[in-house]
């Protein structure tokens, strides 16, 4: 997996793409209740769910013909959670202008694009993030750990994969970055520098 070791010099990259939830902000979403709401969607359609794990339910929704109501059940909770989200240390650094001298930055998130935009507006990220480079799970055809969303964010920032950096907090982020051929850094490594 392409990764970088601290200390990380953001100026060495043409673009930086951040994960949102767990990296820049913490969405106020009860994920267990969200999974239960999605299970309710399956039940309403008389479908035996293939799993009880939220992202597995989302991934199978198209196959079962319930992708729209499943997506709506998740996105509704994410948008509400974005309005009540908490700014994390790395997000605070961006909001406070620590990114001003760095390369253009965007977001690639497993959350829906609208929830990303709500969180960005709620916390006043302003010019720290390129509004055209906000990619949620519903922005492109696939979502992390598929590389398409990472590559879309990198492309919207006008960079090439090998010249960009993806910053995240989960194994899913690291795998997406590897699959995209984009160097990866853990959010904690940027906070510690």
């Amino acid at each position: 997996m392409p990764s970088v070791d601290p200390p990380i010099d953001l100026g060495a990259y043409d673009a930086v793409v951040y994960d949102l939830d767990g990296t820049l902000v913490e969405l106020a979403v009860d994920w267990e209740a969200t999974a239960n709401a999605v299970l309710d969607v399956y039940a309403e359609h008389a479908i035996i769910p293939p799993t009880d794990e939220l992202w597995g339910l989302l991934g199978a929704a198209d196959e079962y013909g319930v992708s729209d109501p499943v997506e709506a059940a998740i996105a509704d909770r994410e948008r509400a959670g974005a309005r009540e989200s908490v700014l994390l240390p790395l997000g605070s650094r961006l909001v406070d202008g620590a990114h001003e001298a760095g390369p253009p930055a965007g977001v690639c998130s497993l959350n829906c694009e609208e929830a990303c935009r709500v969180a960005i507006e709620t916390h006043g990220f302003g010019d720290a993030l390129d509004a055209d480079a906000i990619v949620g799970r519903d922005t492109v055809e696939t979502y992390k750990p598929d590389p398409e969303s990472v590559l879309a964010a990198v492309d919207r920032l006008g960079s090439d994969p090998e010249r960009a950096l993806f910053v995240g907090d989960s194994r899913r982020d690291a795998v997406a970055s590897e699959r995209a051929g984009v160097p990866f850094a853990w959010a904690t490594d940027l906070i510690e520098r």
Side-chain angles (χ1 to χ4, degrees):
M1 161 180 343
S3 63
V4 294
D5 294 319
I8 298 164
D9 176 13
L10 296 180
Y13 299 93
D14 292 343
V16 179
V17 177
Y18 295 94
D19 169 55
L20 182 76
D21 190 25
T23 300
L24 299 178
V25 302
E26 190 72 43
L27 297 184
V29 176
D30 181 336
W31 294 110
E32 185 176 332
T34 303
N36 287 334
V38 172
L39 288 168
D40 289 345
V41 170
Y42 275 82
E44 290 164 7
H45 289 83
I47 299 168
I48 297 172
T51 179
D52 61 355
E53 190 271 322
L54 178 61
W55 304 116
L57 291 166
L58 175 65
D62 192 43
E63 176 185 340
Y64 288 95
V66 293
S67 57
D68 288 344
V70 163
E71 176 61 35
I74 299 169
D76 286 348
R77 286 159 179 79
E78 287 175 328
R79 286 188 297 270
R83 284 187 283 281
E84 302 298 322
S85 61
V86 174
L87 191 62
L88 295 175
L90 186 55
S92 183
R93 288 181 61 184
L94 283 176
V95 169
D96 291 343
H99 187 78
E100 288 175 4
V107 165
C108 172
S109 178
L110 184 57
N111 305 112
C112 71
E113 181 179 333
E114 188 177 349
C116 295
R117 293 187 181 282
V118 169
I120 288 165
E121 182 179 324
T122 296
H123 295 288
F125 280 92
D127 293 336
L129 296 170
D130 184 326
D132 293 329
I134 308 302
V135 178
R137 76 168 169 274
D138 53 347
T139 307
V140 294
E141 293 296 315
T142 61
Y143 51 86
K144 298 183 298 185
D146 189 276
E148 182 184 15
S149 56
V150 175
L151 292 171
V154 169
D155 183 63
R156 291 173 182 200
L157 290 167
S159 186
D160 295 316
E162 64 278 357
R163 297 290 311 142
L165 178 68
F166 183 46
V167 180
D169 71 311
S170 71
R171 178 78 181 131
R172 182 183 294 265
D173 294 333
V175 170
S177 186
E178 178 181 17
R179 290 177 178 174
V182 175
F184 179 77
W186 293 100
T188 53
D189 291 341
L190 279 141
I191 295 165
E192 294 168 358
R193 63 179 203 110

